Amino acid sequence: NAGVMQNPRHLVRRRGQEARLRCSPMKGHSHVYWYRQLPEEGLKFMVYLQKENIIDESGMPKERFSAEFPKEGPSILRIQQVVRGDSAAYFCASSPGPDWDYGYTFGSGTRLTVV
Amino acid sequence: KQEVTQIPAALSVPEGENLVLNCSFTDSAIYNLQWFRQDPGKGLTSLLLIQSSQREQTSGRLNASLDKSSGRSTLYIAASQPGDSATYLCAVRPSSFRSTSYGKLTFGQGTILTVHP
């Protein structure tokens, strides 16, 4: 039973390009959570999605960032017109439902570098 | 707003020492607390999960305690080894009837542990 899978592991983008980060939840999980870890900072919650529905996006920057979790396929975190400040590690976690008692398993993350 | 603080920020010890990492949180209304380990450039590995009703959890050489009323948790590592070198993170899940909050963990900044031979 594979864990949470994220790809790519490393992503380099030039300023102004778009970045797409993918997260495939654990089998049977329909809820996904995205976190960002900026250099020298702790992990910060970004967005919580259920399939075809955004539950809480209170941690998402208002501009350039969007997330989706379609009925089929992985969850996608999309960053348009990337800037140097977007360079960070992006992690996702998943759960079978909203009320999950057993802790969260995170993927290995995507490290985005904007040059 | 929940804030999580970890002390010390960094710790360097010789192999074999027993050590304690501290985590404090400002809002005691938590559902559970989870300790993670993060190796440089890697993802998060879950170490221990303590529910709010529990006082401690143990796994091998690791023991985590929770004092919810005082907003504190400690991670005790016995007989440390060089392979324990990593960043240790604690994260709290809020206690809320609003399901939108369930997966919204608040993380501390971490303690960077170095165990030298």
Side-chain angles (χ1 to χ4, degrees):
Chain A
N1 184 16
V4 178
M5 305 299 291
Q6 289 188 250
N7 64 81
R9 293 291 299 274
H10 300 275
L11 182 62
V12 179
R13 285 286 177 266
R14 295 186 183 280
R15 280 178 294 173
Q17 291 184 319
E18 178 180 289
R20 282 184 179 240
L21 289 61
R22 288 178 290 279
C23 170
S24 296
M26 292 180 70
K27 187 176 180 181
H29 288 195
S30 59
H31 294 245
V32 164
Y33 315 86
W34 285 91
Y35 287 77
R36 177 167 68 171
Q37 186 175 38
L38 290 164
E40 309 303 324
E41 293 190 22
L43 279 90
K44 305 282 188 207
F45 169 82
M46 297 182 75
V47 62
Y48 165 23
L49 307 109
Q50 186 183 358
K51 279 191 182 285
E52 300 185 281
N53 195 18
I54 297 175
I55 305 297
D56 183 342
E57 56 182 347
S58 59
M60 287 272 274
K62 297 293 182 222
E63 298 179 350
R64 303 186 297 107
F65 284 72
S66 62
E68 63 175 5
F69 190 13
K71 186 177 180 180
E72 301 291 336
S75 174
I76 306 287
L77 179 67
R78 182 181 177 208
I79 311 172
Q80 296 178 288
Q81 300 176 329
V82 296
V83 301
R84 289 250 170 91
D86 296 331
S87 295
Y90 293 81
F91 293 95
C92 74
S94 70
S95 68
D99 196 6
W100 177 241
D101 280 355
Y102 304 104
Y104 292 90
T105 300
F106 283 77
S108 297
T110 293
R111 279 148 187 85
L112 172 66
T113 303
V114 180
V115 297
Chain B
K1 178 188 169 188
Q2 179 73 272
E3 291 182 4
V4 179
T5 303
Q6 291 188 245
I7 294 173
L11 184 62
S12 181
V13 300
E15 181 177 6
E17 274 206 6
N18 302 324
L19 50 98
V20 174
L21 309 182
N22 297 291
C23 171
S24 62
F25 44 95
T26 55
D27 186 348
S28 61
I30 67 167
Y31 190 81
N32 58 38
L33 183 147
Q34 196 167 358
W35 282 93
F36 294 90
R37 167 186 172 139
Q38 185 176 27
D39 293 283
K42 305 287 187 185
L44 280 72
T45 301
S46 180
L47 297 174
L48 290 164
L49 173 73
I50 312 178
Q51 303 294 346
S52 62
S53 59
Q54 297 176 319
R55 298 286 291 186
E56 65 179 282
Q57 283 286 340
T58 298
S59 176
R61 294 182 295 107
L62 305 180
N63 175 279
S65 67
L66 174 64
D67 184 342
K68 193 177 119 170
S69 60
S70 68
R72 295 175 194 273
S73 177
T74 60
L75 179 67
Y76 176 82
I77 303 177
S80 58
Q81 304 170 357
D84 295 330
S85 299
T87 298
Y88 290 79
L89 301 165
C90 70
V92 297
R93 174 183 151 177
S95 175
S96 171
F97 290 107
R98 292 172 52 233
S99 62
T100 55
S101 300
Y102 288 166
K104 215 166 170 176
L105 304 182
T106 301
F107 281 83
Q109 298 277 73
T111 293
I112 302 171
L113 173 65
T114 304
V115 181
H116 47 89

